[in-house]
Amino acid sequence: MSESDKYRKSRITDPVHGTIELSQLEIDLLSTRAFQRLRNVKQLGLANLVFPGADYSRLAHSLGVNHVTGKILDSLRQNSDVEIGDEEYELYRLAGLLHDVGHYPFSHTFENAVSTYYQSRSQPDLFAHSAQMLQGETQSVSDEAVVQTPTSLNHEDVGRELLDHDPEIADVLKRYGIDPADIHGIFARQLSKGGPAPRFANLISSDLDADRIDYLSRTARHTGLPYGLVDIDYLLSQMRLDKSDRICLDPSALRTAEHFLLGRYFDYQQVNFHKTVAALEWALHDVINALLVSGTLDCSPTTIRHKITTGAWSHFDDLEVLSLVRELENSTRSDVTKAKVRAVTRRIPPKLIGSVEFFDKRDRVTEYNLNMQFLNTICDELALSFGIDRDLWYVWGSEKMSLTKVGTYLPVSMTPADLEGNADAVQQSIFIKDGEDSKPISTVSRSLMNVLSQNILFSSRMYVILDDGNDRARQDILTRVRQRIGDKVGLNNWIDG
């Protein structure tokens, strides 16, 4: 069977990419219960409560990433004098297909709630151990106990566990002679612990990877917003390899790459960080925390691994968690928790009191932090003045809203001066071909990113959950906030909600 025929075993019609062709191996993975679970995990969390069409699944997105990965590899084969073997080609497509298989229900909001909860549980143990060390009483808290302090698994950790221990996925990979560690290496951007990154790791994790390309196009299609309407086909056709086998773009695609980055910037502002979406996600975060505190949910590493090995993970999805959330409204005695549950299940979002934003150099982060502290102080005062429980107030902030993203766990903007000493971070930038070599788009003098990548949108907002119809209280709160803010530097561009 020829390589082209191999990926024609099955065809799926997709609203974004048209026809997606799959190999038998990909079909077998697609048919596993752990992968089918992604049908019931929404890519955009609660965004569909604001944009009704934005309810597409992580399964649809994963198929798209698999398809785009193949198109990028095809473009590299055509445009560069490079050998990409069939096994390597297959491996990157599989990484694209499986990159989100470990996502929790409601994705990042759930994961953040789990991480916060287990970190808070671990702190007392660590503090106790530190105090006993200072007092010379380390014998009473063993090193083993500290190592076993409760932690949580992020979605990439869960993905690795699924590849290794999910009975169906592990069986498929074994039958086809695929080593899960090779896929892990692409996820982690290293071939082995401490080893070099796979040469095409940017296909799955970078500023211009298959994940972001599909995400932006798919979100535009399903929200009806125009920000993802970028000439993706042209971008893919202009992909090259430089002399170091680094994926880059032909200089003629510079403006299209800038358009892509701008589109992603506006998309995140208008969808993920939409004022109502952000408010609903906060309520969901706290509701999930309440489920964890009550013991209704257990997402410890031991329990997650047990779900995977027993197959229970396959139905741990949005629907199961939403059912628990609805039950919580009846079982909880907390009026605060009831209000947050209603925010999610009845779409009664917290009210935006106001916001302050500025787009400037990263060194204004101190001012941003002071704004956040001051707004939290105001919330403390207003909670007492108006007799509204402090847990119904929320100060939201996103200091990481920039046009370039160099890495998932690194600052989202890097100036040219930041480049040295951050080798892997730099590799995740968009590179523009420069002779036989290439360089990050932020260092190209004629690029908008040469200036804009040094800036960040600093955004702070104040929310409160009020009783239905209590608009008078909201107006009184607004008046009090304006009085407190006055002409305070940094908050003089306050905008009422």
Side-chain angles (χ1 to χ4, degrees), residues 350-406:
K351 302 296 184 182
L352 177 65
I353 300 303
S355 62
V356 57
E357 293 183 344
F358 54 91
F359 186 74
D360 209 336
K361 300 291 189 295
R362 291 178 61 201
D363 58 10
R364 290 189 68 181
V365 68
T366 299
E367 180 181 329
Y368 162 82
N369 289 334
L370 290 173
N371 285 349
M372 294 288 287
Q373 292 174 16
F374 185 63
L375 291 179
N376 272 298
T377 298
I378 294 177
C379 285
D380 294 341
E381 298 170 359
L382 294 174
L384 290 173
S385 298
F386 288 88
I388 300 173
D389 194 297
R390 179 63 177 86
D391 287 338
L392 293 173
W393 299 80
Y394 176 51
V395 176
W396 176 93
S398 177
E399 81 282 14
K400 294 182 176 181
M401 192 67 186
S402 77
L403 285 111
T404 58
K405 184 176 186 301
V406 295

Side-chain angles (χ1 to χ4, degrees), residues 327-345:
E327 291 173 8
L328 181 63
E329 183 176 5
N330 297 321
S331 63
T332 184
R333 296 181 180 180
S334 167
D335 290 337
V336 169
T337 300
K338 286 181 183 291
K340 291 177 181 178
V341 169
R342 288 194 292 269
V344 175
T345 60

Side-chain angles (χ1 to χ4, degrees), residues 61-361:
H61 168 63
S62 296
L63 286 170
V65 176
N66 167 266
H67 174 73
V68 173
T69 299
K71 293 192 70 173
I72 294 174
L73 291 168
D74 291 339
S75 181
L76 294 178
R77 278 175 162 176
Q78 180 178 345
N79 297 331
S80 302
D81 184 19
V82 61
E83 178 66 28
I84 301 176
D86 293 346
E87 291 184 4
E88 187 176 23
Y89 185 96
E90 178 179 70
L91 194 61
Y92 282 102
R93 281 183 58 113
L94 292 180
L97 185 69
L98 296 169
H99 80 287
D100 272 354
V101 73
H103 262 291
Y104 288 95
F106 294 104
S107 299
H108 295 289
T109 298
F110 193 104
E111 182 175 326
N112 291 339
V114 168
S115 175
T116 300
Y117 171 73
Y118 285 102
Q119 283 181 6
S120 67
R121 287 186 63 192
S122 71
Q123 292 309 308
D125 294 338
L126 291 175
F127 291 151
H129 180 62
S130 298
Q132 289 170 352
M133 284 183 66
L134 290 173
Q135 298 170 14
E137 301 174 0
T138 54
Q139 294 86 349
S140 60
V141 179
S142 68
D143 290 338
E144 182 180 1
V146 174
V147 170
Q148 294 179 353
T149 297
T151 57
S152 62
L153 302 176
N154 64 35
H155 70 275
E156 292 179 338
D157 296 329
V158 177
R160 294 187 188 101
E161 293 288 336
L162 283 162
L163 295 185
D164 288 331
H165 303 298
D166 177 81
E168 293 180 337
I169 292 178
D171 178 65
V172 172
L173 295 178
K174 183 178 180 180
R175 281 192 286 114
Y176 284 88
I178 304 295
D179 186 348
D182 291 335
I183 301 177
H184 299 168
I186 296 174
F187 291 162
R189 295 182 58 80
Q190 57 185 36
L191 293 172
S192 60
K193 189 172 183 179
R199 64 171 178 163
F200 300 143
N202 280 20
L203 280 175
I204 307 300
S205 178
S206 70
D207 263 345
L208 186 62
D209 58 22
D211 185 1
R212 288 166 179 79
I213 288 172
D214 180 82
Y215 166 85
L216 194 62
S217 302
R218 198 168 297 275
T219 299
R221 176 62 63 96
H222 288 273
T223 61
L225 297 174
Y227 308 111
L229 301 179
V230 179
D231 193 350
I232 298 300
D233 287 337
Y234 179 71
L235 268 181
L236 295 180
S237 71
Q238 298 305 304
M239 288 193 171
R240 309 282 191 269
L241 290 174
D242 65 15
K243 67 180 182 181
S244 301
D245 269 1
R246 179 191 293 126
I247 298 175
C248 59
L249 288 171
D250 188 87
S252 62
L254 174 64
R255 302 306 176 205
T256 310
E258 292 175 331
H259 184 198
F260 177 85
L261 292 172
L262 287 166
R264 191 185 70 192
Y265 174 83
F266 290 122
D267 172 87
Y268 268 79
Q269 285 192 66
Q270 297 299 102
V271 181
N272 301 71
F273 300 151
H274 183 281
K275 64 177 184 178
T276 305
V277 174
L280 291 167
E281 297 279 2
W282 161 60
L284 177 62
H285 178 284
D286 284 6
V287 168
I288 292 167
N289 182 71
L291 291 171
L292 290 165
V293 169
S294 69
T296 304
L297 273 176
D298 182 350
C299 293
S300 64
T302 299
T303 298
I304 295 299
R305 290 177 181 122
H306 179 71
K307 285 180 180 291
I308 289 171
T309 56
T310 61
W313 176 262
S314 63
H315 54 78
F316 185 47
D317 54 24
D318 290 5
L319 299 177
E320 181 175 283
V321 172
L322 190 57
S323 176
L324 297 177
V325 170
R326 290 192 173 111
E327 291 173 8
L328 181 63
E329 183 176 5
N330 297 321
S331 63
T332 184
R333 296 181 180 180
S334 167
D335 290 337
V336 169
T337 300
K338 286 181 183 291
K340 291 177 181 178
V341 169
R342 288 194 292 269
V344 175
T345 60
R346 305 185 194 179
R347 201 198 178 282
I348 308 174
K351 302 296 184 182
L352 177 65
I353 300 303
S355 62
V356 57
E357 293 183 344
F358 54 91
F359 186 74
D360 209 336
K361 300 291 189 295

Side-chain angles (χ1 to χ4, degrees), residues 434-471:
D434 183 24
E436 294 185 359
D437 209 338
S438 63
K439 57 185 179 182
I441 192 171
S442 60
T443 65
V444 177
S445 60
R446 63 190 180 94
S447 172
L448 284 171
M449 298 305 127
N450 185 250
V451 176
L452 296 180
S453 66
Q454 302 180 48
N455 297 338
I456 289 178
L457 177 69
F458 296 91
S459 181
S460 307
R461 300 177 191 154
M462 181 189 294
Y463 292 96
V464 65
I465 297 179
L466 297 172
D467 294 334
D468 291 347
N470 199 353
D471 290 334

